[in-house]
Amino acid sequence: MSMRLPAPYGTRIDRSKSLNFRFENKSFTGLAGDTIASALMASGAWVLSRSFKYHRPRAAMTMAAQEANTLVQVGSDPNVPADVFRLRDGLEASAQNVNGSLDWDFDAILDRLGRFMPVGFYYRTFFGPGRNAWLKVWEPLIRGKAGLGKVDVALPEQRYEKVNLFYDVLVVGAGPAGLSAALEAAQAGARVLIVDDNPELGGSLTYARFDDGPEATAALLRDLIAQVRAASNIDVLTDAVANGWYADNWIPVVTATRLYKVRAREVILGTGSFDQPHPFRNNDLPGIVMGSAAQRMMRHYAVRPGQRAVVFAGNRDGYRVALDLVEAGVELAALVDPRPTQRHGALAAALAAKGVRIILGGTILEAEGTSGNKHLRAVRIGASGGKAERIACDLLTVSCAYTPAYQLALQAGARLNYDDTSAQFTIANLPAHMTLAGSVAGAFALPTVLAGGRRAGAAAAEALGLSSRPVDVPADDEQALSSIALPLLPHPKGRDFVDFDEDLQIKDIKGAVAAGYSELELVKRFSTVGMGPSQGRHSALATARIVAETTNRTVAAIGVTTSRPPFGPERLGVLAGIQKSRYRHTSLHHRHLAAGAQMTTAGAWWRPLYYGDTSTRAAAIAAEVKLVREQVGVLDVSTLGKIELHGPDAGRFLDRFCSMSYAKQPVGRVRYCLTLNEMGTVIDDGVAFRMAEDLYYVTATTGGVDRIYADMCWHNVEWGLDVDIHNVTSAYSAFNVTGPLARKALEAMGGLDVSPQAIAFLGGVTGTLAGCPVRVMRIGYSGELSFELHTPQSCGEALWDALMEAGQPFGLKPYGLEASRILRLEKGHIIIGQDTDAVSTADELGMGWALSMKKPFFIGKRSTELLRRQPARRRLVGFELPETVGEHAGTHPDESCLILKDGEAVGHVTSTVFSPTVGKWIGLAFVPATVAEHDPAIIIKARSGTSIDARIVPPHFYDPENKRQEI
Amino acid sequence: MQAMAKRRTPLGLSYAPPNVPSPARLVPATSGGLDVTLRDLTACDRLGLKGRGASGWLSARGLALPQSNCRAAVSAHVDAVRLGSEDILLLPRSPEHPEGIQQLRADWQVATDVRKGFDALREETWAWFHIGGPDVFHLMSMTCPVDLGLERFLPGRVAQTRVAQMDCIVVRSDRAGGPGFDLFFDVTSSAFMRDSLTVLASAS
């Protein structure tokens, strides 16, 4: 039997276009515009899922994606809300949280075992039997049962975008209040963005019934939409959720594949209210829905929600739902109004005229389900002074209370109160630049809602400095009739659900309070109320009322748990957006690739690790080391930090910033720079080339330059010296030409005197090489004769090419980072960050020589003085293994391996490598100072766990007299 | 005397004239992506002066510098972008006509003023891209957190902000008859910026 209603029902569907899809391996047909749930219901299939704890059959309850009941798996996407997810041809969907199938869920037995699973049972169970019962029995069992849906870890990459948007006014919610607000603000000249999670504008105007009747409502909707479309300064995002509020009115708006980062000067929340369920036994049966859900089924999707209905109406909207059902041809068995007297005379009269029986002072005692509780079969009604009555029906609509959609307002700092008169939460203490409109502000009568929206729009415009017109808002004659505080009485047999996501009943909330958790946040954590996908939208009010009643406090005093973003679920892909990590290339990047370099990252930089095939890695690196030791090699050091200090106080500045003396450094000389922090910790090193009286060219480590530059700028402001600081790291390419034949290679280029007389060790000159302006420093890291050439990056390739050509007769080739690391370790040079840590001092590193303690001040001097009064704690020392331990020994030290002394860990290895030059494993390690001074024999614990005998030696493994670099 | 070396940009363009490429679409028109064009102007002349005396030296030459975060014409062929009180980027009004910048540089180099700022090497530290095309505002909204809207970020406005998750100077510079932006950013990330913009412009 078709459950479809005739047109004009079904504003979202296209009856001319059928779509085939499968759910739970069964074939169905729906219509274009249907959701999965509406198409299934039109085919008579209501059940979408099984509940979280008791595995009870569940179906759509709100038709607005506000509960966990409708979450299904669609292809590789878990947790898709079937009540709003639009159908597409060929769609494959399945139920979640079932053991077996949706129809035959073996875990449905849990519904009969509820007494063994009281609230918080998981905090008190699973400790036995046996010591490891949790790990061996319970955890695997619970993990097997936990989780909703399946994540496809092999999903191909999808594109998600982020877009920044800026508006004068953001209106969240495109119902009558939101549209009116947007139009008013736009009329005043504001740029407005409307965001709504529905596929069309209109909100409740698209499905709800108002007193003027459906035709007048449709006309009003058409007019509002036409005005919005005509306004050039209004933009609209539908199918989009304003998913949170952050400082300065930064609102993330999410769609299926996009994150809009919206900044608005004014925000108007027309977010509406949530229909509230009522706890009675079996209030979760498929066929029991919110009144608004029945209206959405009919108006949006032309789905007849039932054949024979009972309407539970605690407010005016319940009566309107009854009229809608009758007009749609649904047999209305009764309207049950819990209030003893009639409050809606005209609506009651209209219903009476249609032969509807109205039961005043009635209550729903319980609902009965069909076999397996797969659908509603009947309800038992209690009436004041009368006997309980059983009414057969397949539909029960509930309309008795509303909760404002307060989430964004509370995230912005508003406070939630409770109005006993209207039996509703109210929102107060709104922050500046935020306004409420519509039912979220407590307005329910349509004229009040429309005028209230306009007034909110006018207020936003005024806040923007735009002129607006005054708006009168008529009194709201519905506010006090929209919600009713019904007694919350636990049924003796339970299953009167407060939280459908978590299968929590009235007795569970009461039980949490009885267990001592009387504060709401504790009740939440103990019972898990409000932790499910609906985030308390249907449970917060009832929970607050139960806790208030149980603890003899007011609902206002109980409130709700903290509201945090996000408002609704969002895909991780939307948060990630397009993932692209920054990379930096030196000017020689393509030359390295052409030369067969294996590249590696150093921060954002790409650097050559070595040149050659990966299969010959070790041989290639050894050959590069040999090249430098015996001929000449060149290393691209363009990634080094480079900073220029300009001004007459540049030397004084460096004197304060670094540990050596610079103010008296002669022009044309290069001096080592060691930088400490205030604790005396070594944080970076480099050199300073004094190019002129008022110009220093300072290098820093690749990874440290950003910090050094930032620190320099900070201290420049603090010290007020006459110096300008400029980071020129990217401006210069740099390469270190090193090896005994380095001078010959440079001489072959011509154009610059590189003789020892012209540029001695630690000297610096400027000039031109191969037509490229260069800054040349006699410094190096390898211990060999070295020249560091710095040239503007645009000349880098030309200088490199010229150097390679001139150096060819001398065997010049490029070498990579790995060889550089070996060369420096052979010389005992440290790498900041590898051979140092967060507390390494210069003295510990054996670099006390780099501290000019006679200076009146440098950063870290005071701490160094204090530390020197204490006994030394540790030292960075060199160590070596016997030559009998070959390069390819199965057991060898690695970085971070522990140093053992008498079986205790006393230090660790910071660097180690097999040196092809000295033919041994060598390294640096931190050891206690006493060990460093008196006990050269140490044991290194290899990663395999094997102990290795090693010996502390001076860290200068190669050319300890430094003769080679000074030739 | 040595011949000047051949200078090249990170993306392989020569500094030798003519060094002003034509706009090229980031993604083919047939791809369904955004219609955004890119010109790599990195090889074009520009002059950055920074530090004490920089603005004074320029002002003394009769150049009326704009306020911070603005670009303004300061002579017939030269625009100035004020990035700070003593941080000025001088650009040719049209990249095809660098004569004004070249003259200014020559004058600055020979100037004997005690205080004239220092050369901030902006032609070496920063790449210079110009992006335009009908979809340029949408593309920039996907990667820049500043409101660069057509009628809000007017020609001459300057934002020191982030593009493609790195620091970038964005200057509204309408060239070739259409709106667009000059982007100045770390020259070593030229390929990254080009690749990032291309990914953004690709079809969804």
Side-chain angles (χ1 to χ4, degrees):
Chain A
M1 178 183 176
S2 172
M3 301 293 283
R4 292 285 187 188
L5 297 167
Y9 292 105
T11 54
R12 289 183 181 173
I13 57 171
D14 180 355
R15 294 171 195 264
S16 67
K17 203 175 291 180
S18 294
L19 302 175
N20 297 312
F21 69 105
R22 290 172 66 79
F23 179 65
E24 284 289 284
N25 297 315
K26 293 176 187 166
S27 296
F28 294 89
T29 301
L31 298 172
D34 258 329
T35 65
I36 297 172
S38 69
L40 288 170
M41 287 189 291
S43 303
W46 275 61
V47 179
L48 295 168
S49 67
R50 292 279 176 163
S51 69
F52 178 68
K53 184 172 170 185
Y54 298 127
H55 285 247
R56 290 166 64 89
R58 291 280 169 81
M61 192 175 74
T62 66
M63 289 301 286
Q66 298 302 332
E67 78 274 22
N69 291 3
T70 64
L71 298 181
V72 297
Q73 181 97 20
V74 176
S76 57
D77 285 350
N79 300 318
V80 174
D83 51 344
V84 297
F85 188 82
R86 280 200 281 288
L87 198 62
R88 56 175 184 256
D89 202 35
L91 178 143
E92 288 269 357
S94 57
Q96 302 180 157
N97 200 40
V98 296
N99 180 11
S101 70
L102 183 60
D103 281 342
W104 296 103
D105 184 350
F106 296 110
D107 287 346
I109 188 70
L110 294 170
D111 196 19
R112 297 169 184 265
L113 303 176
R115 66 179 181 278
F116 301 114
M117 297 185 288
V119 64
F121 78 98
Y122 31 81
Y123 293 124
R124 300 179 292 230
T125 323
F126 313 128
F127 293 105
R131 273 186 61 192
N132 293 319
W134 163 249
L135 283 174
K136 291 182 176 172
V137 179
W138 300 116
E139 188 191 8
L141 179 68
I142 291 169
R143 283 195 185 281
K145 297 294 178 192
L148 292 176
K150 292 186 177 66
V151 173
D152 182 358
V153 295
L155 197 64
E157 189 174 328
Q158 297 180 49
R159 183 181 171 104
Y160 295 94
E161 296 175 345
K162 297 181 182 180
V163 178
N164 294 282
L165 296 177
F166 303 86
Y167 285 89
D168 295 327
V169 179
L170 169 67
V171 178
V172 182
L179 294 180
S180 300
L183 288 167
E184 194 69 20
Q187 193 275 335
R191 291 183 63 249
V192 179
L193 175 67
I194 302 173
V195 172
D196 196 281
D197 56 345
N198 287 288
E200 74 284 276
L201 299 178
S204 60
L205 294 175
T206 65
Y207 62 85
R209 185 185 186 99
F210 296 92
D211 286 344
D212 289 344
E215 291 77 16
T217 302
L220 171 64
L221 177 58
R222 280 195 302 273
D223 179 54
L224 288 171
I225 292 174
Q227 288 185 61
V228 167
R229 287 184 177 153
S232 61
N233 52 345
I234 297 180
D235 291 331
V236 173
L237 285 175
T238 51
D239 285 322
V241 180
N243 222 20
W245 181 96
Y246 296 88
D248 302 325
N249 277 348
W250 190 94
I251 312 278
V253 176
V254 295
T255 66
T257 57
R258 267 194 183 167
L259 169 63
Y260 292 97
K261 300 193 271 190
V262 180
R263 276 195 185 279
R265 295 167 66 190
E266 296 291 319
V267 170
I268 299 173
L269 298 180
T271 45
S273 297
F274 299 114
D275 238 344
Q276 293 295 294
H278 178 55
F280 52 85
R281 177 167 167 75
N282 293 332
N283 62 340
D284 64 330
L285 291 177
I288 301 177
V289 300
M290 302 291 118
S292 56
Q295 291 175 311
R296 290 175 200 260
M297 290 177 202
M298 295 186 288
R299 299 263 183 233
H300 289 158
Y301 307 109
V303 170
R304 185 195 309 272
Q307 299 300 319
R308 191 166 197 266
V310 170
V311 170
F312 183 62
N315 58 20
R316 185 179 293 188
D317 284 335
Y319 282 74
R320 292 170 174 151
V321 170
L323 277 170
D324 277 347
L325 289 170
V326 171
E327 288 176 5
V330 177
E331 180 188 353
L332 196 52
L335 182 149
V336 180
D337 188 334
R339 295 162 294 187
T341 56
Q342 182 51 255
R343 308 288 296 274
H344 313 293
L347 290 169
L351 284 168
K354 295 178 183 294
V356 174
R357 177 188 170 204
I358 297 176
I359 303 172
L360 293 176
T363 186
I364 309 290
L365 297 176
E366 67 176 304
E368 293 177 17
T370 58
S371 173
N373 280 335
K374 289 179 182 166
H375 205 89
L376 175 69
R377 181 173 63 183
V379 293
R380 289 178 60 80
I381 307 295
S384 54
K387 286 174 59 179
E389 178 184 0
R390 181 181 183 278
I391 302 177
C393 61
D394 61 354
L395 173 68
L396 171 64
T397 68
V398 177
S399 304
C400 59
Y402 288 103
T403 290
Y406 49 68
Q407 286 77 7
L408 266 58
L410 298 199
Q411 289 163 23
R415 195 180 72 233
L416 200 67
N417 292 330
Y418 184 76
D419 180 4
D420 288 307
T421 307
S422 62
Q424 282 189 63
F425 284 126
T426 59
I427 299 169
N429 285 29
L430 272 180
H433 310 295
M434 177 173 277
T435 316
L436 304 181
S439 66
V440 71
F444 286 88
L446 187 55
T448 310
V449 167
L450 293 168
R454 286 197 297 274
R455 187 157 71 181
E462 270 185 41
L464 293 167
L466 302 169
S467 60
S468 62
R469 53 195 177 191
V471 179
D472 290 329
V473 180
D476 188 348
D477 62 352
E478 291 193 27
Q479 188 178 38
L481 300 174
S482 294
S483 293
I484 180 170
L486 294 166
L488 297 168
L489 303 172
H491 193 281
K493 294 182 181 176
R495 300 301 183 262
D496 40 12
F497 292 101
V498 173
D499 188 322
F500 297 83
D501 296 358
E502 305 282 332
D503 273 348
L504 291 169
Q505 307 151 85
I506 293 177
K507 67 179 180 186
D508 294 324
I509 307 300
K510 286 179 176 286
V513 177
Y517 301 100
S518 57
E519 297 303 325
L520 191 65
E521 293 285 1
L522 298 178
V523 171
K524 173 180 178 177
R525 278 147 188 83
F526 186 69
S527 68
T528 71
V529 67
M531 288 188 181
S534 67
Q535 289 288 289
R537 278 161 222 165
H538 297 129
S539 61
L541 176 58
T543 303
R545 288 187 55 211
I546 294 168
V547 174
E549 182 183 298
T550 312
T551 60
N552 290 320
R553 287 180 289 175
T554 64
V555 174
I558 301 300
V560 295
T561 54
T562 305
S563 182
R564 299 184 181 88
F567 170 69
E570 51 198 13
R571 289 166 172 266
L572 294 177
V574 167
L575 296 181
I578 295 171
Q579 287 294 292
K580 207 155 175 52
S581 297
R582 182 186 174 192
Y583 45 84
R584 305 175 78 182
H585 292 163
T586 74
S587 63
L588 307 169
H589 185 75
H590 55 293
R591 287 287 188 260
H592 298 318
L593 296 179
Q598 301 298 324
M599 304 298 284
T600 188
T601 53
W605 291 99
W606 281 96
R607 301 192 66 181
L609 190 61
Y610 61 94
Y611 296 80
D613 193 80
T614 52
S615 62
T616 57
R617 172 192 166 113
I621 293 168
E624 290 176 8
V625 172
K626 189 165 187 267
L627 177 79
V628 172
R629 291 285 178 235
E630 297 179 0
Q631 293 174 281
V632 56
V634 57
L635 177 70
D636 182 358
V637 292
S638 302
T639 63
L640 281 176
K642 308 168 201 85
I643 296 169
E644 287 183 349
L645 302 183
H646 297 260
D649 287 339
R652 289 177 62 202
F653 180 90
L654 267 185
D655 268 353
R656 295 183 180 199
F657 195 82
C658 297
S659 65
M660 294 183 79
S661 295
Y662 306 92
K664 294 179 182 175
Q665 177 182 341
V667 171
R669 295 297 294 168
V670 178
R671 188 157 290 172
Y672 184 67
C673 290
L674 193 66
T675 310
L676 313 183
N677 65 13
E678 286 79 356
M679 290 170 55
T681 299
V682 173
I683 58 171
D684 207 62
D685 70 347
V687 297
F689 170 19
R690 189 165 198 175
M691 298 177 62
E693 286 296 329
D694 59 353
L695 174 59
Y696 288 78
Y697 183 62
V698 180
T699 66
T701 61
T702 299
V705 62
D706 288 344
R707 177 194 181 165
I708 292 299
Y709 177 63
D711 283 358
M712 281 184 167
C713 291
W714 172 273
H715 289 298
N716 194 26
V717 173
E718 182 184 24
W719 295 335
L721 296 174
D722 190 354
V723 59
D724 287 305
I725 301 163
H726 193 43
N727 187 345
V728 292
T729 297
S730 296
Y732 285 96
S733 290
F735 9 106
N736 197 278
V737 186
T738 182
L741 304 182
R743 182 174 287 119
K744 290 186 183 299
L746 292 181
E747 285 171 345
M749 295 179 75
L752 193 68
D753 184 358
V754 291
S755 66
Q757 296 73 30
I759 176 167
F761 181 61
L762 292 180
V765 296
T766 60
T768 304
L769 270 173
C772 303
V774 288
R775 297 171 175 182
V776 183
M777 292 181 275
R778 271 285 308 271
I779 55 170
Y781 208 34
S782 67
E784 302 291 344
L785 171 65
S786 300
F787 297 85
E788 199 161 284
L789 313 181
H790 292 233
T791 190
Q793 57 82 22
S794 62
C795 297
E797 181 183 288
L799 184 60
W800 178 269
D801 290 348
L803 178 65
M804 298 306 289
E805 184 180 345
Q808 192 178 24
F810 309 100
L812 175 69
K813 288 181 184 172
Y815 67 98
L817 268 187
E818 202 55 43
S820 175
R821 287 169 182 159
I822 295 172
L823 290 163
R824 69 92 193 176
L825 190 52
E826 290 175 345
K827 282 298 294 177
H829 293 317
I830 64 165
I831 295 178
I832 303 289
Q834 175 165 327
D835 299 303
T836 66
D837 56 28
V839 290
S840 304
T841 65
D843 287 334
E844 288 177 351
L845 300 173
M847 300 179 75
W849 56 267
L851 307 179
S852 296
M853 298 303 286
K854 291 180 182 174
K855 287 196 298 185
F857 171 81
F858 64 88
I859 297 171
K861 183 189 177 195
R862 174 68 175 148
S863 296
T864 302
E865 289 170 341
L866 292 172
L867 287 167
R868 283 184 170 177
R869 293 176 198 165
Q870 310 292 323
R873 290 186 306 120
R874 62 175 187 168
R875 297 273 187 229
L876 187 72
V877 297
F879 69 83
E880 63 180 20
L881 269 55
E883 287 183 22
T884 50
V885 181
E887 180 181 4
H888 304 294
T891 300
H892 59 75
D894 283 294
E895 289 158 12
S896 301
C897 283
L898 294 178
I899 306 293
L900 302 182
K901 203 71 189 173
D902 300 327
E904 295 292 320
V906 295
H908 67 276
V909 175
T910 61
S911 294
T912 184
V913 72
F914 182 84
S915 164
T917 308
V918 300
K920 297 177 188 173
W921 282 92
I922 58 173
L924 299 174
F926 273 117
V927 296
T930 51
V931 172
E933 289 159 14
H934 305 299
D935 200 355
I938 56 173
I939 293 173
I940 299 171
K941 189 163 189 176
R943 288 184 184 162
S944 63
T946 308
S947 294
I948 305 171
D949 291 322
R951 186 170 184 79
I952 293 174
V953 295
H956 315 294
F957 303 95
Y958 175 76
D959 185 26
E961 292 83 23
N962 293 329
K963 290 180 178 173
R964 296 179 67 87
Q965 65 189 15
E966 296 178 18
I967 59 176
Chain B
M1 183 175 169
Q2 295 179 348
M4 279 298 293
K6 288 180 182 173
R7 299 170 63 204
R8 297 179 74 85
T9 71
L11 298 184
L13 298 177
S14 171
Y15 280 74
N19 58 355
V20 185
S22 299
R25 276 190 64 133
L26 274 170
V27 294
T30 53
S31 71
L34 299 181
D35 186 354
V36 176
T37 59
L38 170 67
R39 296 169 85 187
D40 183 356
L41 302 176
T42 303
C44 297
D45 286 82
R46 53 200 178 276
L47 174 63
L49 292 182
K50 190 177 178 185
R52 290 169 171 82
S55 62
W57 186 84
L58 290 165
S59 298
R61 294 180 58 81
L63 305 181
L65 298 175
Q67 294 298 305
S68 191
N69 284 335
C70 278
R71 173 182 183 154
V74 291
S75 71
H77 297 294
V78 175
D79 287 354
V81 176
R82 189 77 174 258
L83 302 172
S85 60
E86 296 290 357
D87 191 354
I88 297 116
L89 174 63
L90 298 148
L91 300 172
R93 175 89 27 78
S94 164
E96 291 84 355
H97 295 286
E99 302 83 7
I101 292 291
Q102 291 168 347
Q103 183 60 52
L104 205 53
R105 178 187 295 280
D107 292 349
W108 183 84
Q109 285 173 336
V110 300
T112 56
D113 307 49
V114 175
R115 292 294 196 187
K116 61 173 186 176
F118 60 88
D119 184 348
L121 303 173
R122 298 304 191 196
E123 73 284 8
E124 293 290 346
T125 56
W126 286 345
W128 178 8
F129 282 3
H130 181 267
I131 57 170
D135 295 328
V136 70
F137 291 98
H138 179 54
L139 179 132
M140 288 302 283
S141 77
M142 295 167 74
T143 186
C144 181
V146 170
D147 186 359
L148 302 175
L150 175 67
E151 293 170 359
R152 296 179 298 285
F153 194 74
L154 298 171
R157 287 283 304 277
V158 175
Q160 303 187 49
T161 179
R162 304 271 292 176
V163 173
Q165 300 172 38
M166 63 178 174
D167 293 346
C168 185
I169 310 288
V170 179
V171 184
R172 171 78 185 273
S173 301
D174 295 358
R175 300 183 188 278
F181 301 97
D182 285 329
L183 309 180
F184 299 93
F185 56 92
D186 179 14
V187 71
T188 66
S189 286
S190 298
F192 171 74
M193 177 65 89
R194 178 201 58 197
D195 294 349
S196 294
L197 295 176
T198 302
V199 168
L200 290 171
S202 300
S204 297

